[in-house]
Amino acid sequence: MTQQVALVTGSSRGIGRGIALALAEVGFHVAVNYASRREAAEEVADAIRARGVEADVFGGDIGDDAQRDELYEAVMRRFGRIDVLVNNAGVAPQKRLDLLETEPAGFDRLMRINLRGPFFLTQKVAKQMIALVRRDPQARPKIINVGSVSAYAASVNRPEYCLSKAGVGMMTRLFAARLAEYGILVYEVRPGIIATDMTAAVKAKYDELIANNITPIKRWGTPEDVGRTVAGIATDMLPFSTGEVINVDGGFHIRQL
Ligand code: NAP
């Protein structure tokens, strides 16, 4: 089988880094995307190459149309194909504000990065994947979106984040319905509380929630937890599922009485 290539957006740090390394472990070449921290992305690429596969770094703000297009073109120039797209890049609000005070500029910035960017990148990559399955019948392309428990858990101090992740949930189902006829499967991985730079600012709050049993599995999640899940999907472990949400949340989603 031809060497498969994965593009992981926002893989210089955190969950994206965990996903990129896990995909390398199972044999994918990896395109490592970052927004501004090139050095961190280079470190991830070095760690991937140490696993015996190829990697390169690609800068580009996923929320910016021109930069996103150039990211896609650059990955295609370097690798010639994208078998697995992982839409991981995402941001928290710059200011956590009560939803009665949410500001349009912050709302638009977050939606551009967390929803609009992944939507249009997926549209572009999906067309490439349709061409790929036509020229390589062995190709088994997949799109994996990193959503969040915030798709359904209402945090009234970051409504734009919750809305963006609810949108990612529908985006998963839309592309799943549209692309199944080509054998392109689409999934959402839905992390809970994961230890990364994003949650570092609210660590004390989440330490306390976990200590008070907010999750049946009583610990922080890790980027490795999410990475292993994505690697399982990417290696065809869910062959008759599409549009599926895989919770990686220590059981946070279970309502209890
Ligand atoms: P993180 O530690 O803050 O890392 C964010 C990554 O995304 C970095 O690699 C960053 O690149 C990149 N990035 C940020 N803005 C970007 C942009 N505009 N274009 C391209 N890349 C961009 O975040 P994380 O916690 O790993 O989160 C990753 C994903 O998981 C996000 O979609 C987030 O919403 C989701 N998630 C996280 C948690 C959690 O508990 N941490 C829970 C549920 C869902 P630079 O290094 O260059 O800045």
Side-chain angles (χ1 to χ4, degrees):
M1 192 165 178
T2 323
Q3 180 65 49
Q4 294 189 82
V5 177
L7 164 58
V8 185
T9 67
S11 46
S12 45
R13 291 182 286 132
I15 291 173
R17 179 179 186 279
I19 292 170
L21 295 177
L23 288 173
E25 287 285 346
V26 293
F28 283 85
H29 291 337
V30 186
V32 177
N33 161 246
Y34 64 95
S36 59
R37 291 174 214 215
R38 186 179 176 100
E39 249 175 57
E42 294 281 11
E43 179 271 328
V44 175
D46 285 344
I48 290 170
R49 289 184 204 109
R51 287 161 168 79
V53 288
E54 293 179 23
D56 254 314
V57 304
F58 301 86
D61 174 353
I62 222 74
D64 179 284
D65 291 352
Q67 290 189 39
R68 190 177 58 249
D69 286 351
E70 175 49 27
L71 162 67
Y72 168 78
E73 297 297 340
V75 174
M76 289 301 288
R77 279 197 300 275
R78 166 66 178 84
F79 289 107
R81 60 192 283 154
I82 299 170
D83 296 85
V84 170
L85 168 65
V86 184
N87 284 308
N88 165 77
V91 291
Q94 282 173 325
K95 289 187 274 186
R96 284 191 177 213
L97 294 173
D98 180 86
L99 74 88
L100 297 180
E101 309 299 334
T102 302
E103 295 163 353
F107 185 102
D108 289 350
R109 167 190 169 269
L110 191 139
M111 283 294 181
R112 257 199 325 273
I113 296 170
N114 287 13
L115 185 58
R116 188 176 180 282
F119 179 87
F120 286 106
L121 180 63
T122 302
Q123 187 187 65
K124 204 172 254 291
V125 173
K127 289 179 184 167
Q128 178 273 151
M129 287 175 167
I130 292 169
L132 177 63
V133 292
R134 286 187 175 137
R135 75 169 189 272
D136 179 359
Q138 285 189 305
R140 313 263 306 144
K142 290 173 191 68
I143 294 162
I144 304 166
N145 299 321
V146 178
S148 169
V149 296
S150 297
Y152 61 84
S155 301
V156 295
N157 63 349
R158 46 181 182 142
E160 63 278 60
Y161 185 79
C162 298
L163 287 165
S164 73
K165 293 300 181 177
V168 168
M170 177 51 79
M171 184 181 128
T172 302
R173 294 197 290 278
L174 286 166
F175 279 104
R178 182 67 180 83
L179 297 175
E181 67 178 286
Y182 306 102
I184 302 167
L185 304 182
V186 185
Y187 304 86
E188 177 185 341
V189 167
R190 189 170 278 181
I193 301 172
I194 312 292
T196 67
D197 292 344
M198 186 182 276
T199 44
V202 283
K203 182 175 182 309
K205 175 186 167 183
Y206 287 159
D207 278 345
E208 195 182 334
L209 289 171
I210 293 167
N212 291 326
N213 301 317
I214 196 165
T215 50
I217 302 177
K218 204 170 172 175
R219 67 167 173 84
W220 281 77
T222 64
E224 292 71 28
D225 291 325
V226 186
R228 284 171 64 180
T229 307
V230 169
I233 298 169
T235 51
D236 262 333
M237 292 301 186
L238 299 175
F240 195 49
S241 305
T242 194
E244 200 63 62
V245 175
I246 295 94
N247 291 292
V248 189
D249 65 352
F252 174 87
H253 65 282
I254 303 169
R255 298 186 74 163
Q256 300 187 63
L257 270 177

